């Protein structure tokens, strides 16, 4: 695939595309759903619940965290993950604006 030419698109379009990539994997959706139910989850617990190996779960957690949708903190040697509510709200807003603008043009 060729160069994406991100510079041709607005910042909000690029942000939406980046976040959509994060959400494009079913394991990541499952991880976010699970983490939403607890206030601080361990990778081990997440991997057991969604039935993926711990290394695979850890890789997905890092992708989600890099996008800003997760926060984490260490307690001893354990890293606990939780949803970044501010970034989740931004994601919701970007998607809502996109769908409302598109719908207004076509329907």
């Amino acid at each position: 695939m060729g160069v994406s030419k991100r510079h041709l698109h607005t910042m909000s379009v690029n942000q939406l595309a980046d976040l959509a990539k994060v959400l494009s994997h079913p394991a990541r959706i499952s991880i976010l759903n699970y983490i939403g139910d607890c206030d601080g989850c361990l990778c081990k617990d997440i991997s057991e619940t969604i039935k993926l190996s711990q290394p695979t779960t850890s890789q997905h957690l890092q992708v989600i965290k890099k996008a800003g949708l997760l926060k984490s903190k260490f307690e001893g040697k354990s890293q606990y993950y939780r949803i970044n509510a501010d970034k989740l709200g931004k994601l919701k807003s970007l998607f809502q604006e996109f769908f409302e603008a598109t719908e207004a043009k076509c329907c």
Side-chain angles (χ1 to χ4, degrees):
M1 195 172 270
V3 177
S4 67
K5 298 185 181 182
R6 292 175 60 93
H7 65 280
L8 297 176
H9 308 287
T10 65
M11 185 170 49
S12 64
V13 168
N14 284 315
Q15 286 176 332
L16 182 61
D18 291 342
L19 290 168
K21 285 180 192 176
V22 172
L23 297 176
S24 69
H25 198 290
R28 295 184 197 137
I29 300 291
S30 295
I31 289 169
L32 286 167
N33 279 330
Y34 179 75
I35 293 174
D37 289 337
C38 59
D39 187 31
C41 301
L42 291 167
C43 180
K44 176 184 172 285
D45 297 332
I46 298 165
S47 66
E48 288 174 1
T49 301
I50 64 171
K51 310 228 184 311
L52 289 176
S53 71
Q54 208 165 332
T56 300
T57 302
S58 181
Q59 289 174 347
H60 285 299
L61 285 166
Q62 292 312 308
V63 170
I64 300 167
K65 187 177 176 187
K66 185 177 177 183
L69 292 170
L70 290 179
K71 291 182 179 182
S72 67
K73 68 176 179 176
F74 280 96
E75 289 184 16
K77 293 183 179 182
S78 300
Q79 186 173 17
Y80 290 86
Y81 295 91
R82 63 185 173 88
I83 300 288
N84 180 346
D86 293 337
K87 190 69 170 195
L88 188 65
K90 178 67 175 170
L91 172 65
K92 181 180 175 182
S93 177
L94 286 169
F95 270 106
Q96 186 172 353
E97 290 169 14
F98 168 75
F99 286 119
E100 287 176 356
T102 302
E103 185 178 47
K105 294 174 188 174
C106 72
C107 307

